[in-house]
Amino acid sequence: MGIELDEYAIFRRALMIPAAKQRSKFLDQICGDERVLRDRVAKLLKADGSDWGTFDGFLSDQSLSTPDCDGAPSIENYHFLEKIGAGGMADVFAAEQLLPFYREVAVKVQRTNKFQLESVRRFELEQQTLAKLTHENIATIYDAGHTREGYPYVSMELVKGEPITQFCNDHCLNITERLRLMQGVLNGIEHAHHHGVIHRDLKPANILVTETLRGAQVKIIDFGIAKDTEAFDAEQRTRDSQILGTLDYMSPEQIRSVVE
C-alpha cells in the first residue's frame, strides 16, 4: 500500500472491519510476507474480542523487555512487594517507600518496547497531569524518576480497593448507596475538568472503591491517556482514527472521531 504501519495502526484499522473474512483479507494485504507482524496483530484482535483484563495484559509477554529481578525494578528508597497489574505499556507494583518516610505505594514502571517513543511521552504526560490534581477521589502522585535499569517510573497512592461495579454487587448496595459512590466519581471528574484534564478511559477497572474510616470511598486511577487541555500541544493531539480508551466504555464523541 506504500505506507509503513506499525502493528497498533494496523490493529486499529482492522477493528473497523466487522466481518472476519474481510478482516483476514485486509491483514493478508497489508502485512504481506511479514508473518510475524500478521500473527501479532491477529493475537491483538483475538484478545480484543475477549475480556478486557486479558487484553490489558496481552502485551506483557516475553517479546517485550521488562525490568530485572523477576520483573521487579530497583529504585533507591523503595522495597518492592509484588506485581499487582500490567498493561500494554507499563507494570504496576505494590511497594514500600522507605525514605524520607515510610508508606505503602503503587509504583508504575514503564516498559521498553518498540513503541517506546510514543509510550514514554504518554507516560511523562500522565505524570504531569496527575501532578495537577489533588482530590480525595483521585489517586495521588508522590514521586517520579527512573529505575536503576533506566525505566521511567511514577510512585503514587496505593489504592486497596475493587472496581466500583464489583464493590456494588459484592456488598449488595441499594440505589441510594450506589448513587452516593457515583457522587464521588462525579466530584473527582469535576475536579479534573476544572483543571483542564479529560480522563478518556473511565471504566469500572479505573474506578476503585476502598474502605476508609468514613466508609466506602471512590478513587479514580490510570490517567495514562488523559488529555490536558490547558497544556494542549502536538504530543497530546489524537491522530485520525487513533483509538484511545476502552471501546466498551467510550463516549459517543470518542466513537464518532473514530468512525467519521
Side-chain angles (χ1 to χ4, degrees), residues 1 3-19 22-24 26-31 34 36-52 54-59 88-89 114-115 118 203 225 239-248 250 258:
M1 291 187 179
I3 300 176
E4 183 176 351
L5 297 171
D6 63 32
E7 63 192 52
Y8 267 2
I10 298 173
F11 166 68
R12 292 193 296 267
R13 289 193 180 186
L15 278 177
M16 307 309 298
I17 304 174
Q22 282 74 16
R23 182 181 287 183
S24 179
F26 166 76
L27 292 181
D28 289 338
Q29 291 176 340
I30 199 165
C31 294
E34 298 291 335
V36 174
L37 174 62
R38 192 195 186 288
D39 290 344
R40 180 76 174 170
V41 176
K43 288 181 179 180
L44 282 170
L45 291 168
K46 181 179 179 181
D48 177 71
S50 61
D51 179 75
W52 276 99
T54 302
F55 179 70
D56 287 341
F58 175 73
L59 292 178
M89 298 185 297
K114 68 188 209 175
F115 308 114
E118 180 178 352
K203 57 184 178 182
I225 63 170
R239 303 174 192 156
D240 291 341
S241 298
Q242 184 177 16
I243 298 177
L244 293 176
T246 304
L247 289 173
D248 287 355
M250 274 188 181
V258 173

Side-chain angles (χ1 to χ4, degrees), residues 149-178:
E149 299 84 3
Y151 300 88
Y153 78 87
V154 59
S155 168
M156 63 188 74
E157 178 181 0
L158 177 62
V159 181
K160 296 181 179 180
E162 53 187 325
I164 187 170
T165 50
Q166 181 180 335
F167 183 90
C168 289
N169 292 333
D170 288 350
H171 292 79
C172 300
L173 300 190
N174 59 37
I175 295 298
T176 300
E177 292 167 329
R178 292 171 187 244

Side-chain angles (χ1 to χ4, degrees), residues 51-72:
D51 179 75
W52 276 99
T54 302
F55 179 70
D56 287 341
F58 175 73
L59 292 178
S60 304
D61 61 25
Q62 296 180 354
S63 68
L64 303 180
S65 300
T66 57
D68 297 331
C69 304
D70 297 325

Side-chain angles (χ1 to χ4, degrees), residues 13-251:
R13 289 193 180 186
L15 278 177
M16 307 309 298
I17 304 174
K21 287 186 178 180
Q22 282 74 16
R23 182 181 287 183
S24 179
K25 184 178 180 180
F26 166 76
L27 292 181
D28 289 338
Q29 291 176 340
I30 199 165
C31 294
D33 296 331
E34 298 291 335
R35 300 305 304 174
V36 174
L37 174 62
R38 192 195 186 288
D39 290 344
R40 180 76 174 170
V41 176
K43 288 181 179 180
L44 282 170
L45 291 168
K46 181 179 179 181
D48 177 71
S50 61
D51 179 75
W52 276 99
T54 302
F55 179 70
D56 287 341
F58 175 73
L59 292 178
S60 304
D61 61 25
Q62 296 180 354
S63 68
L64 303 180
S65 300
T66 57
D68 297 331
C69 304
D70 297 325
S74 176
I75 305 176
E76 186 177 1
N77 297 329
Y78 287 89
H79 171 63
F80 285 81
L81 302 173
E82 61 178 332
K83 185 175 179 178
I84 58 176
M89 298 185 297
D91 295 322
V92 183
F93 299 86
E96 298 170 322
Q97 180 181 339
L98 306 178
L99 294 173
F101 40 80
Y102 173 89
R103 62 183 164 193
E104 290 185 319
V105 298
V107 180
K108 187 174 184 179
V109 182
Q110 169 74 54
R111 283 199 301 274
T112 301
N113 55 45
K114 68 188 209 175
F115 308 114
Q116 180 180 8
L117 293 179
E118 180 178 352
S119 62
V120 168
R121 284 196 294 267
R122 289 201 175 279
F123 195 79
E124 293 173 347
L125 287 170
E126 179 183 12
Q127 297 174 24
Q128 295 297 325
T129 298
L130 280 173
K132 295 177 58 176
L133 306 178
T134 303
H135 193 274
E136 64 177 0
N137 296 119
I138 297 176
T140 303
I141 186 174
Y142 295 140
D143 185 24
H146 289 79
T147 70
R148 287 194 176 96
E149 299 84 3
Y151 300 88
Y153 78 87
V154 59
S155 168
M156 63 188 74
E157 178 181 0
L158 177 62
V159 181
K160 296 181 179 180
E162 53 187 325
I164 187 170
T165 50
Q166 181 180 335
F167 183 90
C168 289
N169 292 333
D170 288 350
H171 292 79
C172 300
L173 300 190
N174 59 37
I175 295 298
T176 300
E177 292 167 329
R178 292 171 187 244
L179 289 175
R180 188 176 297 116
L181 288 180
M182 278 304 302
Q183 184 63 57
V185 177
L186 297 176
N187 288 342
I189 294 303
E190 181 183 35
H191 175 81
H193 287 179
H194 277 312
H195 287 77
V197 175
I198 305 173
H199 189 285
R200 298 202 293 184
D201 196 21
L202 287 174
K203 57 184 178 182
N206 289 337
I207 304 172
L208 303 182
V209 181
T210 182
E211 296 280 10
T212 71
L213 294 176
R214 295 185 299 166
Q217 184 178 42
V218 167
K219 288 286 185 179
I220 302 168
I221 63 171
D222 199 349
F223 282 73
I225 63 170
K227 178 183 288 186
D228 185 349
T229 60
E230 293 182 351
F232 188 73
D233 55 28
E235 300 294 345
Q236 296 197 42
R237 194 168 293 128
T238 304
R239 303 174 192 156
D240 291 341
S241 298
Q242 184 177 16
I243 298 177
L244 293 176
T246 304
L247 289 173
D248 287 355
Y249 297 96
M250 274 188 181
S251 67

